[in-house]
């Protein structure tokens, strides 16, 4: 470090205290960083924003992340960095960069003094382990995962991180040649960086919460279950996803490594050679070698996700249900949206969203059959019987369509989440457990009016969009947003969503053996929003009755089917 830098560091810190509203230049393990200091409103407080701080070196293709070597001088951290390389929506091109292991930090400041000892919330984005970025989708320079509203309203530090995606994040030969889980290891590196460095930004390294949605929620769950994070964070929030979801773990990674290897022209009969060849292949070609089919699916969409975390014997030493002892001291909130499955049901059965198009009982049965391939016809029949019990002789279309959405919601999200809550509770030492259902109806005008909270609908409220873009929302939406930010940031501060800096509309009791309470979150939170035993008949069916049926096939059979169909369409 040069002398003038030390001098500047001291001076800037001094000035920071004198103006008392800006951190100025911050010294991190890699070197100095300088962010943006922004005034909030005319007489308001301030917020310091750092964008694009590296938490690891630019990664080598399909290799574990390595520490950053550091830099000379002061790193300008004012612009978001590239997302990790990923397929575009049309799936025929890529965006982003391999050099993507960066994070962003929002620190709320008062008028007179820089903050110290603030709780820290680290956001892990979703996107099916295929797409996404730490800043989120950008609409007119309004980034979905902008941490400002959470930071300012909850008086917490918000950090958003990048991690590798798709084949480059998760491809694995299932052995030491290409162990996989690169994306999870990136997340872990980012969390560890926050633990080591956040004090210099005014954060409390003993008060770190990780939170995430969908694949990000699965990631959060897996980060609580791996033995690698011991002591790094205190609390976690999974929004619509846990490590126990059927789609969270790829059980046959080698088959996919071979398929993708073949597509990019690698020899596939020796995993040493295959791994070596994949590492030398064009990262863009490897990324595009995987293709997610979204129309004319031969199997329900949930069975088609292939590039996900794996049991590698190291980062994940065992199946997630055997790892909950590692989360014994991590406070945990897990919840779902009441129609999380809607968007997926609409892909499996597009008529769901077309008021003039009818669905038939046979279509529902066939969808169930696809979902339950592992338990064969017995599984399909038992599932069909349970879900159509209320149908009567001549069910109307809305009843049938809602049944499909409920079924998909249960299978993909609700049931595994209840299982995770139970395992977390059973294994808890000091940890507390909380359960919620988010049910604010979808605002998508093209959907039928019966559609509740769809997958990812919670994001806009957690990130305070009804406040950022007030004209796009109604007062009732600000009510939901305020409540969610209050519960979430109180939890980050104290481990109890009811206690902290923000008042909450009703006390949210913990999930316990004798209560199994959950909070229903929408714009009318009151005493009646505290409920018990979420869909216990259905949860019991899937987790007990169904599990006890003899297994007749592997879910990956469905993936094989998909792959052959897809190749036929080339
Ligand atoms: C977290 O912050 C709260 C409030 O500032 C404090 O009481 C607590 O001791 C801190 N540490 C932990 C581990 O909760
Ligand atoms: C695979 O290839 C490596 C490197 O060429 C070689 O050392 C190894 O013996 C091969 N393994 C098998 C099972 O053929
Ligand atoms: C499943 O239901 C169908 C239609 O009711 C019936 O024909 C079939 O025998 C049932 N299969 C099993 C294994 O119960």
């Amino acid at each position: 470090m040069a002398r003038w830098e030390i001098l500047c560091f001291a001076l800037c810190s001094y000035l920071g205290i004198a103006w008392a509203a800006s951190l100025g230049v911050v010294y991190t393990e890699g070197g100095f960083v300088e962010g943006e200091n922004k005034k909030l409103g005319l007489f308001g407080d301030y917020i310091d924003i750092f964008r694009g701080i590296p938490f690891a070196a630019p990664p080598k293709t399909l290799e574990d992340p390595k520490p950053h070597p550091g830099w000379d001088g002061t790193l300008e951290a004012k612009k978001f960095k590239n997302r990790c390389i990923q397929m575009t929506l049309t799936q025929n091109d890529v965006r982003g960069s391999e050099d993507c292991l960066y994070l962003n930090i929002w620190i709320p400041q008062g008028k007179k003094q820089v903050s110290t000892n603030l709780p820290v919330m680290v956001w892990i984005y979703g996107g099916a382990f295929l797409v996404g970025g730490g800043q989120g989708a950008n609409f007119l320079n309004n980034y979905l995962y902008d941490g400002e509203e959470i930071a300012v309203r909850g008086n917490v530090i918000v950090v958003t991180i990048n991690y590798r995606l798709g084949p480059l994040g998760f491809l694995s030969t299932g052995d030491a040649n290409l162990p996989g889980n690169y994306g999870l290891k990136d997340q872990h590196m980012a969390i560890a960086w926050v633990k080591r460095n956040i004090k210099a930004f005014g954060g409390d390294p003993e008060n770190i919460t990780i939170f995430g949605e969908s694949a990000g929620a699965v990631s959060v769950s897996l980060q609580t279950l791996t033995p690698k994070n011991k002591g790094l964070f205190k609390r976690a929030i999974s929004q619509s996803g846990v490590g126990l979801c059927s789609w969270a773990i790829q059980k046959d990674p080698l088959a996919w490594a071979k398929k993708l290897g073949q597509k990019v022209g690698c020899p596939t009969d020796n995993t040493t050679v295959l791994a070596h060849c994949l590492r030398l292949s064009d990262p863009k070609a490897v990324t595009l070698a995987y293709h997610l089919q979204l129309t004319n699916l031969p199997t329900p969409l949930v069975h088609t996700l292939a590039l996900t975390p794996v049991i590698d014997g190291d980062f994940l030493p065992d199946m997630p249900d055997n790892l909950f002892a590692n989360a014994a001291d991590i406070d945990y909130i897990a919840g779902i949206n009441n129609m999380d499955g809607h968007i997926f049901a609409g892909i499996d059965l597009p008529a769901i969203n077309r008021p003039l198009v009818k669905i038939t009982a046979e279509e529902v049965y066939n969808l169930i059959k696809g979902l339950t391939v592992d338990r064969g016809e017995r599984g399909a029949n038992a599932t069909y019987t349970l879900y159509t019990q209320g149908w009567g002789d001549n069910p109307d279309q809305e009843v049938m369509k809602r049944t499909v959405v409920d079924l998909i919601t249960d299978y993909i999200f609700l049931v595994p989440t209840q299982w995770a809550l139970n395992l977390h509770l059973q294994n808890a030492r000091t940890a507390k457990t909380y359960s919620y259902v988010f049910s604010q109806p979808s605002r998508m005008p093209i959907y039928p009016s019966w559609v509740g909270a769809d997958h990812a609908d919670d994001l806009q409220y957690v990130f305070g969009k009804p406040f950022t873009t007030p004209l796009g929302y109604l007062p009732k939406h600000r009510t939901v947003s305020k409540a969610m930010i209050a519960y979430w940031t109180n939890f980050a501060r104290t481990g109890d969503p009811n206690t902290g800096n923000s008042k909450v509309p009703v006390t949210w009791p913990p999930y316990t053996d004798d209560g199994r309470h959950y909070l229903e979150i929408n714009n009318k939170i009151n005493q009646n929003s505290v409920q018990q035993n979420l869909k216990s008949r259905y949860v019991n069916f899937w987790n007990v009755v169904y599990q006890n049926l003899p297994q007749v096939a592997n879910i990956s059979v469905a993936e094989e089917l998909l792959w052959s169909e897809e190749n036929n369409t080339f």
Side-chain angles (χ1 to χ4, degrees):
M1 196 187 327
R3 239 184 98 82
W4 67 269
E5 283 172 343
I6 298 170
L7 192 69
C8 165
F9 180 50
L11 194 65
C12 294
S13 311
Y14 171 75
L15 290 177
I17 292 162
W19 295 333
S22 172
L23 278 170
V25 174
V26 174
Y27 186 60
T28 73
E29 63 186 27
F32 291 100
V33 291
E34 183 174 18
E36 176 197 348
N37 181 249
K38 181 177 154 191
K39 193 168 186 174
L40 304 167
L42 206 49
F43 304 102
D45 295 339
Y46 291 81
I47 186 161
D48 278 313
I49 308 171
F50 295 80
R51 300 181 185 88
I53 301 179
F55 61 81
K60 295 215 173 82
T61 310
L62 294 167
E63 284 187 16
D64 286 356
K66 300 268 172 7
H68 198 283
W71 53 89
D72 293 326
T74 300
L75 185 89
E76 284 265 304
K78 298 185 175 173
K79 285 205 182 103
F80 291 122
K81 291 288 187 175
N82 276 325
R83 290 145 200 269
C84 292
I85 190 166
Q86 55 194 267
M87 54 159 85
T88 57
L89 277 183
T90 50
Q91 299 192 45
N92 53 16
D93 200 359
V94 298
R95 63 185 295 204
S97 164
E98 270 201 294
D99 175 11
C100 65
L101 300 185
Y102 297 87
L103 52 74
N104 314 300
I105 313 177
W106 285 262
I107 307 114
Q109 307 290 10
K111 287 185 201 67
K112 293 236 171 74
Q113 246 170 349
V114 285
S115 304
T116 52
N117 253 347
L118 289 182
V120 183
M121 299 183 75
V122 181
W123 174 252
I124 305 180
Y125 54 78
F129 297 109
L130 285 173
V131 296
Q135 58 269 41
N138 175 15
F139 183 70
L140 302 176
N141 220 22
N142 176 6
Y143 289 89
L144 178 58
Y145 304 144
D146 186 317
E148 183 172 316
E149 293 292 340
I150 302 177
V152 171
R153 286 173 186 275
N155 199 29
V156 299
I157 289 181
V158 175
V159 180
T160 70
I161 65 175
N162 278 356
Y163 61 93
R164 279 173 282 170
L165 296 158
L168 297 183
F170 294 96
L171 204 58
S172 166
T173 50
D175 61 17
N177 287 312
L178 196 72
N181 287 341
Y182 304 104
L184 289 184
K185 292 173 197 167
D186 295 343
Q187 296 168 4
H188 162 73
M189 284 284 274
I191 296 165
W193 187 96
V194 171
K195 175 81 175 175
R196 292 192 306 270
N197 290 278
I198 206 65
K199 201 168 177 11
F201 295 86
D204 178 359
E206 299 304 317
N207 257 330
I208 298 176
T209 299
I210 61 171
F211 68 135
E213 186 265 352
S214 195
V218 169
S219 299
V220 162
S221 169
L222 296 175
Q223 296 295 343
T224 70
L225 301 179
T226 172
K228 303 283 179 190
N229 281 326
K230 280 272 154 63
L232 287 191
F233 58 88
K234 283 269 161 26
R235 320 185 224 279
I237 306 175
S238 283
Q239 304 172 212
S240 304
V242 292
L244 304 173
C245 291
S246 67
W247 48 279
I249 301 291
Q250 172 55 260
K251 297 195 190 71
D252 189 9
L254 179 58
W256 284 96
K258 285 185 172 175
K259 285 166 193 166
L260 269 58
Q262 197 175 10
K263 266 204 169 174
V264 297
C266 288
T268 60
D269 52 352
N270 176 323
T271 57
T272 311
V273 178
L274 172 58
H276 184 70
C277 174
L278 283 166
R279 288 194 172 109
L280 293 178
S281 300
D282 175 15
K284 177 175 170 178
V286 176
T287 300
L288 290 177
Y290 178 73
H291 178 98
L292 187 67
Q293 194 179 337
L294 291 170
T295 52
N296 300 321
L297 281 168
T299 176
L301 183 65
V302 61
H303 291 334
T304 70
L305 271 190
L307 297 161
T308 65
V310 296
I311 307 306
D312 59 2
D314 176 38
F315 197 85
L316 294 176
D318 201 348
M319 283 301 280
D321 52 324
N322 296 322
L323 297 176
F324 276 74
N326 291 321
D329 297 311
I330 298 173
D331 299 319
Y332 191 40
I333 293 178
I336 53 133
N337 296 352
N338 73 336
M339 293 204 191
D340 251 329
H342 172 265
I343 189 165
F344 305 95
I347 290 167
D348 291 329
L349 221 55
I352 296 282
N353 291 318
R354 298 183 189 147
L356 301 178
V357 184
K358 293 198 156 115
I359 62 168
T360 65
E362 197 191 345
E363 281 173 312
V364 177
Y365 182 76
N366 286 337
L367 180 62
I368 289 176
K369 232 168 88 181
L371 218 49
T372 59
V373 275
D374 59 335
R375 296 295 190 274
E377 208 174 73
R378 275 180 74 185
N381 285 10
T383 307
Y384 184 80
T385 305
L386 176 68
Y387 277 87
T388 59
Q389 219 150 44
W391 275 15
D393 290 338
N394 193 14
D396 66 49
Q397 279 293 309
E398 187 184 316
V399 169
M400 292 174 72
K401 289 178 177 179
R402 272 171 174 269
T403 299
V404 173
V405 174
D406 286 345
L407 166 78
I408 301 289
T409 299
D410 290 355
Y411 185 87
I412 307 185
F413 301 103
L414 188 148
V415 169
T417 299
Q418 306 315 302
W419 186 19
L421 286 163
N422 284 332
L423 286 182
H424 185 262
L425 177 65
Q426 283 161 25
N427 286 274
R429 213 166 20 223
T430 61
K432 279 175 284 190
T433 316
Y434 293 89
S435 166
Y436 75 86
V437 173
F438 175 78
S439 66
Q440 187 68 22
S442 167
R443 298 170 67 243
M444 196 71 102
I446 55 165
Y447 286 165
S449 59
W450 52 264
V451 177
D454 202 348
H455 194 55
D457 273 352
D458 48 324
L459 292 171
Q460 58 197 314
Y461 299 100
V462 169
F463 281 89
K465 296 306 164 195
F467 296 104
T468 326
T469 50
L471 293 181
Y473 292 88
L474 299 171
K476 68 177 179 184
H477 301 126
R478 285 182 275 283
T479 304
V480 189
S481 186
K482 191 173 169 203
M484 285 189 103
I485 292 175
Y487 285 121
W488 265 224
T489 56
N490 281 348
F491 178 75
R493 182 161 268 106
T494 67
D496 176 346
N498 308 294
T499 314
N501 283 16
S502 304
K503 271 175 81 165
V504 294
V506 71
T507 299
W508 175 0
Y511 183 89
T512 57
D513 260 330
D514 40 80
R516 300 199 186 281
H517 287 100
Y518 67 93
L519 180 69
E520 181 166 355
I521 300 174
N522 52 38
N523 67 287
K524 295 188 196 107
I525 303 183
N526 58 35
Q527 287 301 330
N528 301 329
S529 307
V530 177
Q531 293 172 35
Q532 279 173 277
N533 301 319
L534 178 65
K535 293 198 77 177
S536 49
R537 257 189 78 207
Y538 295 84
V539 172
N540 184 61
F541 168 76
W542 285 109
N543 287 340
V544 182
V545 180
Y546 185 83
Q547 291 302 327
N548 285 333
L549 294 174
Q551 185 169 344
V552 300
N554 221 311
I555 297 277
S556 54
V557 169
E559 291 168 359
E560 295 292 332
L561 186 63
L562 177 86
W563 184 260
S564 52
E565 291 247 338
E566 186 198 324
N567 276 354
N568 291 343
T569 62
F570 269 103

